[in-house]
Amino acid sequence: MVCVSYLALAELWTVPQFPLANHGAEVRGIEWSVAADGPMTAAALASLGAPTLLLSNDIGDDEHGRFVRTWLEQRHVDCTFAAGPEVVTPRIVVAADCYVTRTWFAYLPGVVESLERVDLSPLARASFIYVDGYQLIEAA
């Protein structure tokens, strides 16, 4: 199985209720995870013992990048990205409230360009392919 996706740190914010425009809300919880759906799909499949490869953008060698890399390693996901000091790890903030309202804010510097350089040759040997198709990365 090959998953093709953008890769980012995800900050999950919990608020009691979304505020009106130009108002605020208390953040009651912050958790870190990964985005987008491709890395999560790869982790789920790897936990089931399926051989899985994640093709994604590069990430930074910063606190956020180290978290993302460790998260994937702990879940035994094989990846092709590089981590370097010249790259800023992409981030996304996902905010949700108790009424199932959810929204997100993505910071994806250099992601499209990085995805355009990904070696897609593993797709030729894959039995299944999962591709994220977010509007933010459609140019890649």
Side-chain angles (χ1 to χ4, degrees):
M1 174 75 172
V2 174
C3 297
V4 183
S5 176
Y6 82 82
L7 178 60
L9 173 82
E11 281 192 24
L12 312 173
W13 292 11
T14 305
V15 298
Q17 183 175 3
F18 269 82
L20 298 172
N22 298 316
H23 289 77
E26 176 187 6
V27 176
R28 295 217 174 137
I30 298 175
E31 294 182 45
W32 280 14
S33 188
V34 300
D37 295 338
M40 290 185 283
T41 300
L45 290 168
S47 73
L48 295 171
T52 307
L53 177 64
L54 174 63
L55 304 179
S56 69
N57 53 279
D58 294 337
I59 59 173
D61 186 22
D62 51 21
E63 179 184 16
H64 300 141
R66 287 188 293 275
F67 176 89
V68 169
R69 189 171 53 249
T70 299
W71 192 96
L72 293 166
E73 288 170 355
Q74 289 173 341
R75 288 154 181 84
H76 309 288
V77 176
D78 290 327
C79 306
T80 63
F81 65 81
E86 70 287 348
V87 179
V88 175
T89 300
R91 293 174 59 190
I92 183 168
V93 172
V94 180
D97 70 11
C98 298
Y99 300 98
V100 196
T101 305
R102 177 182 171 272
T103 195
W104 49 269
F105 305 91
Y107 177 66
L108 307 176
V111 165
V112 169
E113 295 81 7
S114 185
L115 286 171
E116 289 173 340
R117 293 188 302 269
V118 169
D119 175 13
L120 299 176
S121 62
L123 297 177
R125 298 180 304 279
S127 54
F128 293 97
I129 302 168
Y130 176 93
V131 179
D132 271 343
Y134 291 99
Q135 183 180 13
L136 294 171
I137 60 169
E138 71 183 348

